[in-house]
Amino acid sequence: MSADTTFLMQALTLAKQQRGFCAPNPSVGAVIDSEAGEVLATGSHQGAGKAHAEIVALMQLHGKAPGATLYLTLEPCCHWGRTPPCTDAIIQAGIRRVVYGFHDPNPLVKGKSKTILPAHAIQYDYMPLPEINEFYTSYRYWHQTKKPFITAKIAMSLDGKIAQATGSPLSITGSQLKELTYHYRKHSDAILTTAKTIRCDDPQLNVRQDEVIAKPLYILDRELTLPLQAKILTTAKSITLFHQANVAAEQLTLFQQKNIRCIAVATKQNHLSLPSIIDHIGQDGIHDLWVEAGGACFSAFARENLLQKMLIYVAPRWMGSGLNAFDKDFSLDISDAKLIWQQVGNDAVCEITYPV
């Protein structure tokens, strides 16, 4: 492995740690390397409105890195947004060379630094890596479609049961899959569920590991039936309810008084318009959306081809009775998808990813 690859992969590790905390910005990692091959500083973007990765790294060197090489997962910005152009700081720092792994699809940035930096005698090298290209799939997808990259998860027994026959929650998979779920929650920009899931399970839908992390939550609630005592009112970073237009004004006011954003969307055959909902979420700048609900929600998204990735957890249990994950008419075309099976503890996970 070349030194360039090594440092870019180190920058990617830093970017991965911040995934899910930067939207509507991308997560970026930076490594500054001396002419002698010594890592001088590292950085990662901490969130919209905060210093970008290269600035975080340069701050550790008091803004000066003469003769050094800057490695970035994403090409540096060159425009004023919430923060100044990173190209200005790179020039002022005396950086000799910039190596980056992914072209920024943002039209305000794309390809512009390749004229700015060489004009100041800074070598500017694009070095694509498959791992970095994959990392920015959702960011690229959002710029192409203005919609989030959606991953949905469902857990079931070997005979396809997801809950008791009454709809009451059922613990099916093991603790190691809970950690996998936490991983996806943590590194997604937001979570989507249904009011039905909350009524049945009363989940917290946050991350509970070394620290407790709250995420923005979107809830499908056509008739505004979300219990006002639900745990998510205290565990979510923010809550947005999608509902039908003709709901009682009094009921709407109750939610708004709880600082819950309520958005009316069109309905079809007594179901909320999922494409309209996804458009709204995309407008919020959400790149990665994690869907965690029941079989009906999973099926609805799949039927309308709205999922880019699915995770199907399968536990080695035969329930015999209970609520089926899918109805008998549900079908799924996976002919063009990439399938990966893995064992997690005693459970299995089928990861289905569609090309985008």
Side-chain angles (χ1 to χ4, degrees), residues 28-50:
V28 180
V31 173
I32 298 177
D33 168 49
S34 72
E35 292 182 275
E38 174 191 1
V39 173
L40 300 175
T42 63
S44 58
H45 184 37
Q46 300 297 300
K50 298 181 180 180

Side-chain angles (χ1 to χ4, degrees), residues 12-271:
L12 177 60
T13 297
L14 294 166
K16 285 181 175 180
Q17 292 169 359
Q18 284 303 114
R19 186 176 194 138
F21 298 92
C22 298
N25 291 356
S27 178
V28 180
V31 173
I32 298 177
D33 168 49
S34 72
E35 292 182 275
E38 174 191 1
V39 173
L40 300 175
T42 63
S44 58
H45 184 37
Q46 300 297 300
K50 298 181 180 180
H52 290 187
E54 50 268 61
I55 305 303
V56 173
L58 284 170
M59 287 170 62
Q60 297 166 31
L61 304 173
H62 307 289
K64 300 297 180 182
T69 298
L70 170 63
Y71 292 90
L72 291 166
T73 52
L74 187 71
E75 67 178 301
C77 75
C78 52
H79 69 289
W80 276 90
R82 298 188 190 183
T83 56
C86 290
T87 48
D88 288 357
I90 292 169
I91 293 166
Q92 293 165 9
I95 293 288
R96 176 185 63 85
R97 180 181 179 225
V98 172
V99 183
Y100 71 97
F102 194 79
H103 292 308
D104 195 328
N106 184 346
L108 295 173
V109 178
K110 187 176 182 181
K112 295 183 179 179
S113 295
K114 70 180 179 181
T115 57
I116 295 172
L117 296 180
H120 290 81
I122 297 173
Q123 184 177 339
Y124 193 63
D125 296 324
Y126 168 55
M127 185 175 174
L129 294 177
E131 295 89 348
I132 293 180
N133 186 65
E134 182 180 359
F135 178 76
Y136 284 116
T137 296
S138 60
Y139 179 54
R140 180 180 61 241
Y141 181 78
W142 183 84
H143 267 285
Q144 291 171 342
T145 66
K146 290 298 183 286
K147 299 175 183 178
F149 184 100
I150 306 175
T151 302
K153 159 255 179 181
I154 193 165
M156 66 183 71
S157 63
L158 278 175
D159 55 341
K161 308 301 181 185
I162 60 172
Q164 298 179 38
T166 59
S168 299
L170 184 65
S171 180
I172 298 173
T173 53
S175 59
Q176 287 170 286
L177 271 184
K178 180 182 290 186
E179 293 301 312
L180 180 63
T181 297
Y182 283 165
H183 171 84
Y184 273 95
R185 288 181 187 173
K186 180 178 181 178
H187 295 294
S188 295
D189 299 318
I191 299 169
L192 182 143
T193 191
T194 65
K196 181 180 179 181
T197 296
I198 294 171
R199 290 196 307 273
C200 292
D201 298 355
D202 196 20
Q204 297 184 58
L205 290 175
N206 55 9
V207 180
R208 302 182 297 280
Q209 294 175 310
D210 295 335
E211 57 181 330
V212 177
I213 300 171
K215 288 288 178 173
L217 185 61
Y218 295 93
I219 303 173
L220 310 186
D221 191 6
R222 184 169 62 90
E223 297 181 333
L224 292 181
T225 60
L226 178 72
L228 288 174
Q229 70 276 15
K231 291 176 183 175
I232 54 96
L233 268 72
T234 57
T235 60
K237 184 176 182 180
S238 63
I239 298 176
T240 299
L241 293 183
F242 292 106
H243 60 87
Q244 64 188 10
N246 58 335
V247 293
E250 297 82 1
Q251 185 72 355
L252 199 58
T253 300
L254 287 175
F255 289 105
Q256 292 169 338
Q257 288 174 342
K258 297 283 187 180
N259 294 319
I260 295 173
R261 182 173 61 155
C262 298
I263 299 177
V265 296
T267 58
K268 183 178 180 181
Q269 297 177 344
N270 290 325
H271 293 286

